[in-house]
Amino acid sequence: MGKLVRLELYNFKSYKGHHVLQIGDSYFTSVIGPNGSGKSNSMDAISFVLGIKSSHLRSAHLRDLVYRGRVLRTSTINGDGSATKNGVSGHADDDDAPVDEPTQKSTQERHDPKSAWVTAVYEDDAGDEQFWKRTITNQGVSEYRINDRVVTAQQYNEALEAENILIKARNFLVFQGDVEAIASQSPRDLTRLIEQISGSLEYKAEYERLKEAQDEALDIQNLNLHRRRGINSELKQYEEQKREAENYSKKADERDQAIVTHILWKLYHFQRVIDESNAEIQRHQEELKEHRRSIEKYEHGLDEAKKEQTKVGKEVAKIEKNIKNKEREVEAKENGLVPIAEKIDLSRKSVAKCEKRVAEITKERDSHTASVKQSTRDLKVVEKAQAQWDNERKKLAAQEGRELSDADIQEYNRLKADINKRTATDQARVDSLSRQQKADEETVNSLKSKVDTAEWQSQKLEAELSDIDERKAGVDSQIKEITKEMNSKKLAYNEQVSDRLRLSQIRTEKDEQLQEVLMKLLEAEEGKKQNEKDVRLRNTVSDMKRIFPGVKGRVSELCKPIEKRYGVAVSTVFGRNFDAVIVENEKTAVDCIQYLRDQRRGQATLIPLDTIQWTASSSNLKGTRGTRMAIDTISYDSSLERAVAYVCGNAVICDDLAIAKHVCWDKRNDVKAVTLDGSIIHKGGNMTGGQGGKQDTRRWEDAEVENLRKLKDKLLADLSKLPEPRRGATEEEQLQGELTGLEQRLLYAKEEAKALERNQRSKQKELSHAQEQLEAARPKYQEKLRELEASKRHLEELQAAVSEVQDEVFADFCQRLGYDNIRVYEAQQGSLQQEAAQKNLEFSTQKSRLQSRIKYEEQQLQESKSRIKRLEDQMHQDRALISELEAEQESTQNELDTLSAECDQLSEQLKKQKAKHTQKAEKVNEQRREVQKRSHNVEGMLRAITGLESERQLSAAGRYTILRRCKLEDIDLPLNEGSKTLEELPIDEVVQTDPDTMELDEDQDSSSIQPSNIQDFGIDIDFEDLDDDLKDEGDNDKTEDELQNRIKALNGELDHMAPNMRAMERVQAAKGRLATTDKDYEDARKRAAKAKDAFAKVKEKRFELFNKAFSHISEQIGPIYKDLTKDPVNLPMGGQAYLDMEDSDEPYLDGIKYHAMPPLKRFRDMEHLSGGEKTMAALALLFAVHSYQPSPFFVLDEVDAALDNANVAKIANYIRDHAGPGMQFIVISLKTGLFQGSEALVGIYRDQGANTSKALTLDLRKYQ
């Protein structure tokens, strides 16, 4: 193998311009340098030039791999600690940082390059150099060159693969972090790695496609094989059926001849019975005519008597209806009188109360009127006294006054002026105090008047409040008495209502129980006695069983529920087939239908056992809790299983409706679910309520009729003991009326109490107001009184001072005139005025008090008049209402009397009509007895004719049924010459309403029997071939049994054969299908073999490639791991490692587990190893994988990052031992222990001035 000589880079990542990484002829080269210098970029350059995608080179796009410089700003630290920016000082780049970080200048300003390239110079085994170059163009795409010749990417990869450099496997490159990823990868990831190394991954798509094609071809082959086997089996079955059909035809001919013999025998005896019956019927018909003419006149009399009885009965019903209507009207009128009487009573009581209240208020009004008059008179007396006193005062003043001379007056005035000068101040104060004293006296008198008035009003209002309290206490006592009486009445009323409701409830319960018992009795009697239709059906079935041996009986008689609780459900399941008749075969069913029609015996549903079609019940429901198939709940004879299965169908009986819903809707079973109570959920999902089969279940159980009758009698006795509903109605209505009256009284009493309470509140407010006025006026009065007394004392002191001056000045004047002092003179002149003022003040006070009293009494008087007016209006309304109610009461009473008279009149008419009705009924009974007495002979004759006609019709029906059967079944009978053929026999009268059952419309039954014409349809049977012993009237039952047994034996053999008459046709069809299927199978087999061969080849190739790689790697992993982990001194044995294949047949479909056990340690899973142990194990695996189809060189990027010095030394020793021709190692490392043992060093450093990474190469072999 060759080796990598050098690497040339141009503008690649952190390498600006052209750079050369010289490796030379070293087989162990270490790339070293500080962090950020661009070491890993050299690894990226090797990967890039060898065709690795940019996504694996820490870049998103190829443009990101082109050199881009980064401008770094530097700053200078000043002396004060501040920084000054100096602009651009250098460049930097980081291995791990993106190269396109933004700068202050745009790319255009920096003139960054637009393209880059890397050239790897490779020296092959012959010593020739090859130049592999990959360029990133200006357009951002890759261009590949080999030896300066442009090639495609595919050609480029092929040239590398020729040198065993596998780009897809990347088995020559180990990037940073790959070691950890390999150590923690899953078994399937390891499988995929080996597939890439081995090349088996290229066959994966084709492998999967061919495998799918093989599986599809095998499925088609198996399908055609199963079809061929099925057709072969079917062909054998049809050939066997063909042989059975031939035997069946022979046996069928014998059976047909036996049937013809049996038919001829029956037809012969039917014809004999018809001829004999005709003669007997004709004789009885003549006798019957004579008997009927004798009873016609009695029947006519009976009809007339019935008409008269019906007419009288209608009159009785009409009168009874009129009486009931009148009684209801009387009851309504009587009920209407009660509230009217109560209203009249209440209104009268209201009037009485109002009159009583008016009398009381009138007394108050008279008292107030008298008080007003008395106060007015007192006022007039005071005014008159004041006028009289004034006149007397004037006369006295004129008599006692003295006249002074002009000189005295002048002297008096001079002296008075002198005094005034000397006592001006004191006199002014005296005058002022005198005026003030007068004003104070008036104020004191006014306040005294207010105090007296307020005291009088308070006393009066207290007296009125006391009276109101007494009246309110009386009203409250009355309310309590009324309430107590109402409670007792309500208690009695509630007891009456409770008793009535209790009795009504008891009566209702008894009535319901009685109705239920009567319904049960009716059902029991119907089940026991049965109606006319059921009797006819029972007799008809009995006759058919006697005539036709193949009749088994009715479904209800032949099938019984295994448990009583299934009765209703089974009846519901049977439905319309409850009374269906089970017959042995279709022929018997046809005979029975013709018999029913000919004899006019009603309708019936017939179920032939041989032709009835039924579906087997589903087994899915067996074991379901609460459900059981309907057929499993019925007890029946095993020979009737087909008929019972047809009647039951797929019906399921469930315990309740919830289970039925679960079975039909949740589980979606196509069944009819019937619950124990008769509810149905049909197949279509619709539901039907239960109880439908109740009346039919009565036929299966003996009803306890006697117990039901005793219960009915007991219920009737209990009902008769209960009191009549109207007995307590009068007391209840009376109590209700009394309660209504008490409620009105209570209402009026409460209204009166409310009025008294309002009046009390009003008086209380007035009293409070008066007391407030008294409390407010009394302190003012006392204060003013004290001020007046003080003013008087002060005035007296001032007057004393003035008097001294007056005495001194007027001494000579008073002595000359003969007065003790000047004040005596002035008193003589001013006393009258002072006295007058005092008197006038007293009169004013009295007049003010009397006027206030008059005003108050007038207000009270006006209020009393208003209250009287309201009460009088209320009394007027009540009297008017009483008049209206009395008129209404009188009118209602008159109507009530009229209705009572009409009821009495109608009762008399009813008695007469009932007596007349009894007479008519007796007459009807007498006529009926006469008709019945004369009808006994006719009935006996009719029974005889009926019996003969029945035998005649039965024979004719049997004859027609047999002929019709022969026509329908194409049975050839021997006919005499001149006879019509069976093809002319009419058969359109028989109606088949169901393919599995045969029904006949019911004709109306007639009480009289008319002879019918027997038609032979022109068919004359030739009985010559019939044996003579069969023509004799011997034991017909025995002969019938022999003939039937012969036919049954032949039919039994035929039934056991059950041939397929179309077997021949199906044999031919099966052979044709078999030929086609054989051809399809052969084609499918060839295609499957071809697909299998193609898949086997691809599988073998893929397995061979994978297994070859796996075997090699598995063999190498142990020694390599041992070499990596051993220590010649301490651990000479090293560790153990091996690969484990999960699927040895097709290992590429499952995972491959890698197990490594470091020296002196027990086995543990990979994830439990330490970081260094994982790295050593991963490197061992990488070296082992690389040993398979090894590339000429092996590039490792810092694989020793997680290793300690001891393990680094081991890695270095391993690389140094294995480095050589054919195995070139290029290691990027920072560990001294690794790169110091290499042959050459490539140093990477950062030139900050040029802003680029640069490389230096050092050959260490010179120093080793």
Side-chain angles (χ1 to χ4, degrees):
M1 290 186 179
K3 61 181 177 180
L4 189 64
V5 177
R6 67 180 179 272
L7 198 67
E8 298 182 8
L9 296 84
Y10 178 76
N11 291 335
F12 184 81
K13 279 199 167 187
S14 62
Y15 293 88
K16 179 181 179 182
H18 183 266
H19 296 271
V20 178
L21 273 70
Q22 190 69 38
I23 299 174
D25 57 354
S26 172
Y27 289 102
F28 181 14
T29 304
S30 295
V31 180
I32 63 175
N35 287 331
S37 60
K39 299 187 304 297
S40 295
N41 289 342
S42 62
M43 174 76 168
D44 293 340
I46 297 173
S47 302
F48 172 75
V49 75
L50 295 179
I52 302 300
K53 294 181 179 180
S54 61
S55 59
H56 298 289
L57 305 179
R58 301 176 296 168
S59 300
H61 305 286
L62 286 175
R63 291 181 183 274
D64 298 337
L65 301 177
V66 180
Y67 170 81
R68 294 182 185 179
R70 278 196 310 169
V71 178
L72 300 180
R73 295 186 179 273
T74 61
S75 300
T76 302
I77 305 301
N78 301 324
D80 57 357
S82 62
T84 301
K85 294 182 180 179
N86 298 327
V88 179
S89 63
H91 304 279
D93 197 359
D94 190 358
D95 293 351
D96 299 325
V99 300
D100 56 348
E101 294 184 5
T103 63
Q104 298 296 324
K105 293 184 179 181
S106 64
T107 304
Q108 289 78 7
E109 294 175 347
R110 295 198 307 267
H111 304 291
D112 287 342
K114 300 295 183 62
S115 63
W117 55 263
V118 177
T119 300
V121 180
Y122 176 77
E123 181 180 324
D124 57 17
D125 294 337
D128 298 331
E129 290 185 349
Q130 297 182 17
F131 295 86
W132 298 333
K133 184 177 182 180
R134 182 179 178 186
T135 305
I136 302 174
T137 64
N138 294 334
Q139 291 77 22
V141 297
S142 293
E143 180 184 84
Y144 299 93
R145 293 175 179 268
I146 299 177
N147 296 327
D148 206 20
R149 181 173 56 86
V150 177
V151 296
T152 64
Q154 182 177 359
Q155 292 173 344
Y156 195 81
N157 290 335
E158 290 174 356
L160 294 176
E161 290 177 359
E163 296 297 331
N164 217 20
I165 300 174
L166 304 178
I167 304 301
K168 294 180 181 179
R170 290 192 302 161
N171 60 333
F172 56 90
L173 297 174
V174 181
F175 292 97
Q176 289 185 10
D178 283 357
V179 175
E180 290 80 1
I182 291 172
S184 60
Q185 67 182 351
S186 64
R188 285 193 175 273
D189 293 336
L190 182 56
T191 301
R192 182 174 179 83
L193 175 63
I194 295 177
E195 274 206 287
Q196 290 176 343
I197 298 300
S198 65
S200 65
L201 188 62
E202 298 178 359
Y203 294 93
K204 181 179 180 181
E206 186 178 4
Y207 171 88
E208 293 177 350
R209 179 182 61 80
L210 291 176
K211 184 177 182 180
E212 183 178 356
Q214 173 188 297
D215 294 341
E216 182 179 358
L218 288 175
D219 290 341
I220 296 174
Q221 177 186 351
N222 292 333
L223 176 64
N224 287 313
L225 177 61
H226 290 312
R227 288 179 56 194
R228 187 176 71 170
R229 289 175 179 174
I231 293 173
N232 281 326
S233 176
E234 187 178 353
L235 183 60
K236 292 179 181 179
Q237 182 180 0
Y238 288 153
E239 289 176 349
E240 181 66 23
Q241 290 177 356
K242 178 182 176 183
R243 291 190 294 271
E244 292 178 357
E246 293 173 353
N247 295 331
Y248 182 84
S249 298
K250 295 179 182 178
K251 191 66 66 174
D253 293 339
E254 296 181 16
R255 189 269 318 270
D256 292 342
Q257 184 59 42
I259 290 174
V260 169
T261 301
H262 179 249
I263 290 173
L264 288 175
W265 174 77
K266 293 186 73 173
L267 288 174
Y268 177 81
H269 289 285
F270 281 147
Q271 187 63 43
R272 179 179 58 78
V273 172
I274 291 171
D275 295 339
E276 293 175 354
S277 298
N278 283 335
E280 289 294 325
I281 289 173
Q282 186 63 32
R283 182 174 62 82
H284 287 300
Q285 286 288 352
E286 294 298 331
E287 295 176 359
L288 184 61
K289 290 179 182 179
E290 294 297 329
H291 288 291
R292 282 187 172 175
R293 281 195 293 268
S294 64
I295 63 173
E296 283 180 357
K297 60 179 182 178
Y298 291 103
E299 289 179 347
H300 178 71
L302 178 60
D303 293 337
E304 292 296 331
K306 286 182 177 179
K307 290 179 180 179
E308 292 178 0
Q309 183 186 14
T310 303
K311 183 177 179 181
V312 174
K314 290 180 179 179
E315 290 294 331
V316 170
K318 182 178 180 181
I319 293 172
E320 288 178 345
K321 183 178 180 181
N322 291 335
I323 289 174
K324 289 182 179 179
N325 292 334
K326 295 297 180 183
E327 287 177 349
R328 283 195 291 268
E329 293 179 7
V330 168
E331 185 178 356
K333 294 296 181 182
E334 288 177 348
N335 293 337
L337 284 175
V338 175
I340 292 174
E342 291 295 332
K343 289 179 181 179
I344 292 173
D345 183 52
L346 292 175
S347 298
R348 286 176 178 170
K349 290 180 180 179
S350 177
V351 169
K353 288 182 179 180
C354 289
E355 289 176 349
K356 181 180 179 182
R357 186 64 183 144
V358 166
E360 294 175 354
I361 298 174
T362 302
K363 291 180 181 179
E364 293 180 2
R365 181 196 64 185
D366 294 342
S367 174
H368 291 308
T369 302
S371 180
V372 169
K373 289 179 180 180
Q374 183 63 36
S375 298
T376 303
R377 286 195 297 269
D378 292 343
L379 181 60
K380 289 178 179 180
V381 169
V382 172
E383 289 175 350
K384 185 177 179 182
Q386 184 181 8
Q388 183 178 358
W389 179 84
D390 192 27
N391 291 331
E392 290 177 356
R393 182 185 60 79
K394 288 179 181 181
K395 290 178 181 181
L396 183 61
Q399 292 174 2
E400 295 180 357
R402 296 179 181 180
E403 297 292 336
L404 297 177
S405 61
D406 293 336
D408 293 336
I409 291 173
Q410 290 177 357
E411 185 179 4
Y412 174 77
N413 290 332
R414 182 182 58 77
L415 293 174
K416 192 70 172 175
D418 185 24
I419 290 172
N420 288 336
K421 290 179 181 179
R422 295 176 61 185
T423 62
T425 303
D426 292 337
Q427 190 64 42
R429 293 175 65 187
V430 169
D431 292 339
S432 175
L433 287 174
S434 297
R435 289 192 298 271
Q436 182 65 34
Q437 185 176 355
K438 289 180 180 180
D440 291 342
E441 287 177 352
E442 291 179 358
T443 301
V444 168
N445 291 332
S446 175
L447 290 173
K448 187 175 185 304
S449 176
K450 286 184 179 180
V451 170
D452 293 340
T453 302
E455 287 178 350
W456 178 79
Q457 286 182 353
S458 296
Q459 293 174 0
K460 184 174 181 62
L461 289 171
E462 287 175 355
E464 291 179 355
L465 279 173
S466 177
D467 182 54
I468 290 172
D469 289 339
E470 292 179 359
R471 290 170 55 193
K472 189 172 181 297
V475 173
D476 291 339
S477 177
Q478 185 180 4
I479 289 173
K480 290 181 180 178
E481 292 178 358
I482 294 173
T483 304
K484 183 177 180 181
E485 187 176 359
M486 280 185 63
N487 291 334
S488 62
K489 296 291 185 183
K490 282 184 179 179
L491 183 60
Y493 177 74
N494 291 334
E495 289 178 355
Q496 289 285 341
V497 172
S498 177
D499 291 341
R500 178 173 59 80
L501 293 177
R502 181 177 57 79
L503 292 174
S504 176
Q505 183 178 3
I506 293 174
R507 185 178 297 276
T508 303
E509 292 176 355
K510 295 294 184 183
D511 286 337
E512 291 176 354
Q513 292 178 5
L514 182 60
Q515 291 297 325
E516 184 179 358
V517 170
L518 291 175
M519 290 298 296
K520 289 181 179 179
L521 276 173
L522 181 61
E523 293 174 0
E525 291 174 359
E526 288 178 353
K528 183 178 180 180
K529 299 179 180 179
Q530 301 180 348
N531 54 25
E532 183 179 356
K533 179 179 178 180
D534 188 57
V535 172
R536 288 202 306 269
L537 180 60
R538 184 184 295 274
N539 293 335
T540 300
V541 173
S542 178
D543 291 341
M544 287 192 299
K545 289 174 69 176
R546 178 174 53 83
I547 297 170
F548 305 108
V551 177
K552 302 295 185 181
R554 289 190 298 173
V555 172
S556 59
E557 298 172 348
L558 299 173
C559 303
K560 302 295 181 182
I562 58 177
E563 294 182 20
K564 185 177 180 180
R565 63 191 183 106
Y566 296 133
V568 175
V570 171
S571 298
T572 306
V573 170
F574 284 173
R576 63 187 180 89
N577 293 316
F578 189 85
D579 288 323
V581 180
I582 301 176
V583 297
E584 188 171 352
N585 49 48
E586 185 180 5
K587 173 182 175 297
T588 305
V590 173
D591 294 343
C592 292
I593 288 175
Q594 185 60 38
Y595 169 77
L596 292 172
R597 179 163 183 81
D598 294 342
Q599 297 299 319
R600 304 182 205 175
R601 301 293 293 269
Q603 68 178 7
T605 301
L606 295 106
I607 303 176
L609 292 172
D610 61 340
T611 59
I612 198 70
Q613 299 294 326
W614 58 281
T615 304
S617 59
S618 176
S619 60
N620 296 334
L621 298 173
K622 293 184 177 180
T624 303
R625 186 178 181 85
T627 62
R628 61 206 56 81
M629 300 303 298
I631 194 171
D632 296 335
T633 63
I634 302 171
S635 174
Y636 57 90
D637 188 80
S638 59
S639 61
L640 308 176
E641 183 176 3
R642 289 175 61 87
V644 177
Y646 163 76
V647 172
C648 295
N650 62 345
V652 179
I653 295 180
C654 305
D655 289 348
D656 51 41
L657 192 59
I659 297 176
K661 291 178 180 179
H662 175 70
V663 170
C664 293
W665 296 342
D666 296 344
K667 289 192 172 182
R668 300 184 179 278
N669 290 312
D670 188 17
V671 297
K672 179 173 75 172
V674 182
T675 63
L676 294 179
D677 62 356
S679 299
I680 308 173
I681 300 180
H682 299 275
K683 293 182 181 179
N686 55 315
M687 298 177 62
T688 304
Q691 307 302 329
K694 184 176 180 180
Q695 60 182 3
D696 293 328
T697 60
R698 306 297 297 179
R699 304 180 187 178
W700 288 332
E701 59 186 20
D702 292 333
E704 299 177 356
V705 179
E706 189 63 29
N707 292 335
L708 290 174
R709 287 176 179 171
K710 291 179 180 180
L711 181 57
K712 181 193 73 172
D713 296 338
K714 182 178 180 300
L715 290 173
L716 290 174
D718 293 342
L719 285 173
S720 63
K721 292 178 182 178
L722 293 176
E724 292 295 329
R726 291 295 305 165
R727 183 180 300 175
T730 304
E731 297 179 2
E732 186 177 332
E733 292 169 357
Q734 182 178 357
L735 287 172
Q736 188 175 6
E738 291 177 357
L739 280 173
T740 304
L742 289 173
E743 288 175 355
Q744 292 293 334
R745 288 176 57 193
L746 181 62
L747 180 62
Y748 292 149
K750 288 182 178 180
E751 289 178 355
E752 184 177 359
K754 289 180 181 178
L756 289 172
E757 189 175 353
R758 289 195 297 271
N759 192 11
Q760 185 183 29
R761 287 197 296 269
S762 176
K763 295 296 183 183
Q764 190 67 40
K765 288 181 181 179
E766 292 178 6
L767 177 61
S768 299
H769 180 66
Q771 290 177 349
E772 289 175 358
Q773 287 181 342
L774 179 61
E775 294 296 329
R778 183 176 290 166
K780 292 180 181 179
Y781 166 71
Q782 293 175 355
E783 184 180 357
K784 288 294 183 182
L785 185 60
R786 288 191 298 270
E787 290 177 359
L788 179 60
E789 292 175 354
S791 178
K792 285 180 179 181
R793 289 192 298 270
H794 190 199
L795 180 61
E796 289 175 356
E797 293 174 358
L798 291 174
Q799 285 178 348
V802 173
S803 298
E804 290 178 0
V805 177
Q806 286 177 348
D807 291 341
E808 182 182 351
V809 174
F810 283 101
D812 296 337
F813 180 78
C814 291
Q815 187 176 5
R816 183 171 54 81
L817 293 178
Y819 292 100
D820 293 337
N821 53 49
I822 192 62
R823 291 183 295 280
V824 174
Y825 168 76
E826 290 177 349
Q828 185 179 358
Q829 295 297 325
S831 61
L832 294 175
Q833 295 178 356
Q834 292 177 359
E835 184 180 357
Q838 182 65 32
K839 279 291 185 181
N840 286 331
L841 180 59
E842 293 177 357
F843 284 126
S844 297
T845 301
Q846 291 181 3
K847 286 167 65 177
S848 176
R849 184 171 63 254
L850 290 172
Q851 287 174 353
S852 297
R853 183 178 297 176
I854 290 170
K855 184 178 179 181
Y856 173 75
E857 291 295 339
E858 285 178 348
Q859 291 178 354
Q860 295 296 320
L861 178 62
Q862 187 63 34
E863 183 179 352
S864 298
K865 289 180 179 179
S866 299
R867 291 163 64 190
I868 291 171
K869 181 67 170 59
R870 289 195 298 270
L871 290 171
E872 288 177 350
D873 293 341
Q874 181 65 35
M875 286 191 296
H876 178 71
Q877 293 177 1
D878 290 340
R879 290 193 181 98
L881 179 60
I882 290 171
S883 299
E884 293 176 2
L885 292 174
E886 287 177 347
E888 185 180 356
Q889 185 180 29
E890 184 178 359
S891 175
T892 304
Q893 187 63 43
N894 293 334
E895 293 177 359
L896 185 60
D897 294 340
T898 302
L899 290 173
S900 298
E902 291 177 356
C903 286
D904 295 338
Q905 185 178 1
L906 289 173
S907 297
E908 292 295 330
Q909 293 179 5
L910 180 62
K911 289 180 181 179
K912 294 179 182 179
Q913 290 297 330
K914 282 187 175 179
K916 188 175 180 181
H917 185 269
T918 302
Q919 295 176 358
K920 296 297 182 182
E922 183 62 29
K923 184 176 179 181
V924 169
N925 292 332
E926 183 179 355
Q927 293 292 330
R928 184 179 288 111
R929 286 193 294 272
E930 292 293 333
V931 171
Q932 290 176 353
K933 183 171 62 175
R934 288 167 174 75
S935 297
H936 288 310
N937 295 331
V938 174
E939 290 177 359
M941 192 66 67
L942 287 173
R943 283 194 294 272
I945 294 174
T946 300
L948 292 171
E949 180 65 19
S950 178
E951 292 182 3
R952 180 172 170 268
Q953 292 291 340
L954 180 60
S955 298
R959 181 178 183 275
Y960 173 77
T961 301
I962 293 174
L963 294 176
R964 183 173 177 274
R965 175 193 169 191
C966 292
K967 179 180 178 180
L968 293 175
E969 298 180 4
D970 292 332
I971 299 175
D972 293 331
L973 295 177
L975 302 176
N976 290 323
E977 188 176 355
S979 171
K980 292 183 178 181
T981 63
L982 292 177
E983 296 297 328
E984 301 179 26
L985 180 70
I987 61 173
D988 55 350
E989 297 181 7
V990 178
V991 181
Q992 294 185 358
T993 60
D994 191 283
D996 298 327
T997 60
M998 304 174 185
E999 296 182 355
L1000 183 65
D1001 292 338
E1002 182 180 6
D1003 295 334
Q1004 293 183 352
D1005 194 13
S1006 175
S1007 61
S1008 61
I1009 299 178
Q1010 299 295 333
S1012 59
N1013 294 325
I1014 302 300
Q1015 294 185 3
D1016 57 5
F1017 304 103
I1019 297 175
D1020 187 9
I1021 306 298
D1022 184 6
F1023 297 106
E1024 289 184 1
D1025 295 338
L1026 187 64
D1027 295 339
D1028 293 337
D1029 55 349
L1030 296 177
K1031 292 180 181 180
D1032 295 337
E1033 295 184 22
D1035 189 353
N1036 291 335
D1037 292 337
K1038 182 178 179 181
T1039 304
E1040 173 73 15
D1041 291 340
E1042 292 175 354
L1043 295 175
Q1044 286 287 358
N1045 289 335
R1046 173 60 178 165
I1047 295 172
K1048 286 181 181 179
L1050 294 172
N1051 282 330
E1053 294 178 8
L1054 293 174
D1055 290 340
H1056 288 300
M1057 290 181 179
N1060 184 358
M1061 304 308 293
R1062 299 183 61 186
M1064 183 62 70
E1065 300 175 4
R1066 294 182 178 179
V1067 166
Q1068 297 300 326
K1071 288 181 178 180
R1073 287 188 285 113
L1074 180 60
T1076 303
T1077 304
D1078 286 339
K1079 182 177 179 303
D1080 294 340
Y1081 172 72
E1082 189 63 27
D1083 293 341
R1085 187 185 63 77
K1086 291 178 180 179
R1087 286 195 298 272
K1090 184 178 179 181
K1092 183 177 180 181
D1093 293 341
F1095 174 71
K1097 290 179 181 179
V1098 173
K1099 177 182 177 183
E1100 182 181 1
K1101 184 65 177 177
R1102 187 180 183 186
F1103 177 79
E1104 180 181 354
L1105 291 173
F1106 186 89
N1107 193 51
K1108 181 179 179 182
F1110 176 80
S1111 298
H1112 175 83
I1113 296 170
S1114 180
E1115 291 173 358
Q1116 294 296 322
I1117 189 69
I1120 292 175
Y1121 184 73
K1122 182 180 293 185
D1123 292 343
L1124 286 175
T1125 56
K1126 71 180 180 179
D1127 186 349
V1129 178
N1130 298 323
L1131 302 170
M1133 299 301 296
Q1136 297 180 5
Y1138 63 93
L1139 297 177
D1140 186 12
M1141 187 184 297
E1142 293 181 355
D1143 186 355
S1144 58
D1145 294 333
E1146 291 185 275
Y1148 38 77
L1149 298 181
D1150 282 316
I1152 293 177
K1153 293 183 179 180
Y1154 177 35
H1155 303 282
M1157 187 171 64
L1160 303 180
K1161 290 188 178 181
R1162 60 183 177 84
F1163 173 79
R1164 288 184 294 178
D1165 292 334
M1166 186 67 69
E1167 59 268 17
H1168 295 154
L1169 299 178
S1170 65
E1173 291 170 347
K1174 287 182 180 179
T1175 301
M1176 297 297 287
L1179 288 174
L1181 179 62
L1182 287 173
F1183 292 147
V1185 170
H1186 183 265
S1187 66
Y1188 180 77
Q1189 294 184 354
S1191 61
F1193 48 83
F1194 199 16
V1195 184
L1196 306 174
D1197 187 2
E1198 295 189 20
V1199 298
D1200 55 352
L1203 299 177
D1204 54 9
N1205 293 331
N1207 286 325
V1208 170
K1210 293 177 182 179
I1211 293 296
N1213 293 332
Y1214 180 85
I1215 294 175
R1216 187 169 52 250
D1217 293 343
H1218 291 80
M1223 190 64 170
Q1224 181 184 21
F1225 287 92
I1226 300 174
V1227 181
I1228 300 173
S1229 175
L1230 292 176
K1231 298 290 184 70
T1232 305
L1234 181 61
F1235 66 76
Q1236 69 183 1
S1238 59
E1239 297 177 357
L1241 291 178
V1242 177
I1244 307 297
Y1245 67 95
R1246 186 75 178 178
D1247 187 347
Q1248 298 294 345
N1251 193 20
T1252 182
S1253 298
K1254 292 186 177 182
L1256 296 173
T1257 302
L1258 178 63
D1259 190 355
L1260 296 180
R1261 288 174 292 184
K1262 301 176 181 180
Y1263 309 102
Q1264 293 176 349

